[in-house]
Amino acid sequence: MPDAELGPLPGGHHGLSREQIAESQRERLLAAIAQVVAANGYRQTTITDVVKLASVSTRDFYELFEGKEECFLAAFDALRDHVEELVREAAASEADWPHQTIAAIRAALEFFAAEPEFARICLIESVSATPRNAIRFREAVLACVPALAQGRAELDDPDSLLPKTEDAIIGGIVSMVTRAVVAGEAESLPALLPDLVDFALAPYLGAERAAELAKESSAA
């Protein structure tokens, strides 16, 4: 969705099937609702705003989505999938868990810094829009737990950490990033990397090693 282009399909014989037309309309509607919500907020966004920007008729909108909430959920899902792919690819390039974790955090910060409107949608609007949106956001956050929990293998006793340690760490990271976005400082998110690395790794590697890797991440 981040690369979707808005605008109507060319008139005349464009050679597209009905399925291709519907997919094009869907992509434009997702891009449009993302832009409108980022600018105006979910509650102030109307379907009229979305279809106008997407150059799609209201009738076609309702053939694709039940309403504004379903369209916004689909847009959130598309953004979540994109961020997950970026994070997964970044982590896969590293040989060990600590550096995989650093690469994953860096990839997410750099994406949100480059796309502050998407940061607002993912971290702010998705939480406050509707209860279904808030649940979807919570599910996305919890999906990060298994990757972080791999750090328990770094410990002599993996069970020495409380069961909800990963939840607390990820929640803290999300909170720090969200505060920066709310303050209009999304572009400076990469500067948070050393602090977030220290915070995320210390329970598994100890304060000294986590601090070393945090310093290393700031120089990279």
Side-chain angles (χ1 to χ4, degrees):
M1 191 191 71
D3 297 326
E5 294 183 2
L6 304 182
L9 290 170
H13 299 291
H14 43 61
L16 298 178
S17 67
R18 179 57 194 166
E19 291 75 15
Q20 289 172 317
I21 293 172
E23 182 60 24
S24 174
Q25 291 173 334
R26 184 178 187 277
E27 290 298 318
R28 297 206 307 279
L29 287 167
L30 295 186
I33 198 168
Q35 290 185 28
V36 177
V37 169
N40 303 331
Y42 177 83
R43 298 187 186 282
Q44 286 70 44
T45 293
T46 67
I47 291 174
T48 299
D49 296 330
V50 174
V51 298
K52 182 177 180 180
L53 182 59
S55 299
V56 173
S57 71
T58 302
R59 183 188 66 183
D60 286 334
F61 175 92
Y62 281 109
E63 287 185 359
L64 294 165
F65 301 105
E66 291 182 1
K68 182 175 76 170
E69 182 185 45
E70 185 183 4
C71 184
F72 185 63
L73 282 169
F76 173 80
D77 287 346
L79 283 171
R80 177 205 60 207
D81 291 348
H82 182 68
V83 174
E84 286 181 352
E85 182 179 1
L86 290 176
V87 167
R88 186 164 49 249
E89 290 179 353
S93 67
E94 299 294 338
D96 56 50
W97 176 81
H99 289 93
Q100 289 168 2
T101 303
I102 294 169
I105 297 173
R106 179 185 288 112
L109 293 177
E110 289 180 349
F111 172 75
F112 287 133
E115 304 286 356
E117 68 277 16
F118 292 152
R120 185 168 189 85
I121 289 168
C122 289
L123 300 171
I124 300 173
E125 296 298 336
S126 65
V127 178
S128 60
T130 70
R132 284 180 67 198
N133 286 117
I135 291 171
R136 194 70 59 86
F137 173 79
R138 178 60 178 163
E139 290 172 345
V141 171
L142 290 177
C144 302
V145 167
L148 187 60
Q150 291 177 24
R152 289 175 181 263
E154 305 288 328
L155 297 166
D156 293 333
D157 179 11
D159 295 327
S160 62
L161 294 180
L162 294 174
K164 295 294 185 180
T165 296
E166 287 76 24
D167 293 42
I169 293 172
I170 294 169
I173 290 173
V174 170
S175 179
M176 286 186 274
V177 173
T178 300
R179 282 201 298 270
V181 175
V182 170
E185 300 171 352
E187 292 85 351
S188 65
L189 284 175
L192 293 178
L193 181 61
D195 288 341
L196 297 183
V197 167
D198 194 5
F199 178 69
L201 299 186
Y204 307 95
L205 305 180
E208 183 176 352
R209 179 57 178 155
E212 290 175 357
L213 288 170
K215 184 177 180 180
E216 174 187 301
S217 72
S218 68

